[in-house]
Amino acid sequence: MSFNISFPDTTYENKQRSIEEFFEISLELRRDVIKSLFLAKSGHSGGSLGTADIFAVLFFGGFLNYDSSNWKIPSRDRFILSVGHIAPILYASLARAGFFEPSELATLRKLGSRLQGHPGLDVNLPGIETSSGSLGQGVSIAVGMALSQKYLDKTENLTFTMTGDGELEEGSVWEAAMAASNYKLSNLCWIVDNNDCQIDGRVSDVMNIYPLQEKFEAFGFDVVTIDGHNYSEIIEAFTKFKNNAKNSNKPTCIIAKTYMGRGISFMEDDYSWHGVPPNEEQAIKALEELDKLDAELKKSNKLN
Ligand SMILES: Cc1ncc(C[n+]2csc(CCOP(=O)(O)OP(=O)(O)O)c2C)c(N)n1
């Protein structure tokens, strides 16, 4: 079987969009994840695919303020991927937003690549604000960034961070949560990828973290629980956060109910896909499934 992988150089603007456009972008992000992980022969498929809809809205829906051609501009919003092992979806989003060439996605996890298995500051990849992947730490860094935005720099800029739900088993996460509300960080948006899957089982079986909404509320957050694959709900949640940032003293937590491996029939809601890449046969099948969804979308004539 011959299988040629290439990454088209399509990029997308960061602006208000229709549901169909977000779906189209999420399909491209998912293709990037499948292709880069197949080429890497290692890495985390499940969480990367499961969060693609959230990344599509956050990076391409006008919610995260950035300039990919001048990415270090101090007035940017920050995005910290605390759940660092799902780096492939962050890399895909950055590439499609113009931070670097999409063709670089082919270097994921290769020796000398800027796209390491977990985001690293040492490799100077545009868009990476901090090293992350030692679970529980990124979110504390995000709290520090939000603190300095609000009280040192006195800007209106925002900090977004994403944790896994297994990651919430780290005690330091709750210190960060306590600090976020203590310091009234209404400019902090904490997204929880609540797929109820972690490295070797269901989160609820390994270490029960529930009830989650009530826990974050008790820690002083304004909490919204959404379907993390429903674009309207994702848009509404980010809109609420932006409103909170201006009018409230509480940090916002978005608990996004997702399915690990979303979009690929044989990966969905299966924790054994937490940390493995597709082999050739699986990659071909996965890309065919995504192409089919794309064809159906185009046939529906709802794209501009
Ligand atoms: C401090 C720390 N301990 C352990 C690990 C190993 N580890 C990597 S991913 C993972 C499970 C994380 O689960 P979750 O946050 O739910 O991510 P998902 O399975 O949804 O991708 C663990 C324990 C780590 N990266 N950091």
Side-chain angles (χ1 to χ4, degrees):
M1 203 179 318
S2 79
F3 184 36
N4 288 324
I5 300 261
S6 64
F7 292 85
D9 55 12
T10 322
T11 53
Y12 303 97
E13 281 175 59
N14 187 18
K15 60 174 194 188
Q16 266 197 342
R17 293 177 179 280
S18 67
I19 302 294
E20 289 75 19
E21 285 178 300
F22 284 127
F23 187 39
E24 189 190 33
I25 294 172
S26 79
L27 291 174
E28 192 63 34
L29 297 179
R30 287 185 166 99
R31 281 193 198 96
D32 287 338
V33 166
I34 294 290
K35 289 189 264 191
S36 57
L37 280 163
F38 165 69
L39 291 173
K41 297 190 169 38
S42 69
H44 297 78
S45 305
S48 301
L49 293 163
T51 53
D53 299 311
I54 300 168
F55 274 85
V57 177
L58 182 60
F59 275 79
F60 306 101
F63 290 102
L64 183 73
N65 175 34
Y66 60 82
D67 177 355
S68 55
S69 61
N70 180 20
W71 87 268
K72 281 197 170 166
I73 186 167
S75 61
R76 69 190 184 278
D77 292 344
R78 269 49 173 189
F79 176 72
I80 309 294
L81 186 66
S82 193
V83 56
H85 59 268
I86 64 167
I89 186 64
L90 175 59
Y91 296 150
S93 304
L94 291 172
R96 298 291 162 203
F99 284 78
F100 53 87
E101 294 289 323
S103 57
E104 198 170 343
L105 294 172
T107 70
L108 177 68
R109 284 180 169 245
K110 303 273 192 258
L111 212 56
S113 164
R114 299 195 295 179
L115 278 60
Q116 287 303 306
H118 297 75
L121 264 190
D122 53 329
V123 288
N124 286 322
L125 184 69
I128 300 300
E129 302 281 1
T130 184
S131 302
S132 61
S134 187
L135 296 174
Q137 295 186 353
V139 75
S140 287
I141 297 171
V143 166
M145 288 184 178
L147 254 178
S148 76
Q149 282 171 329
K150 189 158 181 171
Y151 298 109
L152 286 179
D153 302 335
K154 297 188 176 24
T155 68
E156 305 243 305
N157 291 118
L158 308 171
T159 295
F160 295 78
T161 186
M162 180 184 281
T163 61
D165 49 6
E167 184 176 6
L168 299 182
E169 294 161 11
E170 294 285 350
S172 59
V173 154
W174 300 102
E175 292 181 41
M178 202 156 39
S181 67
N182 181 66
Y183 293 114
K184 302 185 179 7
L185 297 180
S186 55
N187 56 335
L188 179 75
C189 179
W190 180 328
I191 306 154
V192 179
D193 175 27
N194 188 197
N195 56 19
D196 201 41
C197 288
Q198 62 181 92
I199 197 163
D200 51 7
R202 290 271 170 208
V203 173
S204 41
D205 291 334
V206 176
M207 177 65 74
N208 190 7
I209 55 166
Y210 302 104
L212 216 43
Q213 166 129 1
E214 289 84 342
K215 258 184 199 133
F216 273 97
E217 278 168 357
F219 272 81
F221 279 69
D222 196 336
V223 189
V224 52
T225 298
I226 62 165
D227 172 346
H229 304 301
N230 180 313
Y231 298 112
S232 304
E233 291 188 26
I234 302 170
I235 292 165
E236 209 176 304
F238 285 137
T239 306
K240 180 182 170 63
F241 162 56
K242 289 214 146 185
N243 191 34
N244 280 355
K246 285 205 169 69
N247 303 311
S248 137
N249 275 328
K250 289 184 173 191
T252 298
C253 176
I254 301 175
I255 300 171
K257 300 226 161 269
T258 61
Y259 289 109
M260 179 168 271
R262 174 73 168 197
I264 310 299
S265 61
F266 55 92
M267 295 187 186
E268 257 188 46
D269 202 24
D270 177 355
Y271 62 78
S272 66
W273 282 99
H274 158 91
V276 285
N279 62 26
E280 181 165 328
E281 190 190 333
Q282 291 162 333
I284 290 171
K285 183 154 192 308
L287 292 172
E288 277 171 5
E289 289 190 10
L290 295 172
D291 284 348
K292 191 163 167 241
L293 290 170
D294 209 357
E296 281 164 16
L297 176 67
K298 295 208 164 82
K299 218 168 116 193
S300 75
N301 262 335
K302 287 196 177 142
L303 282 170
N304 294 332

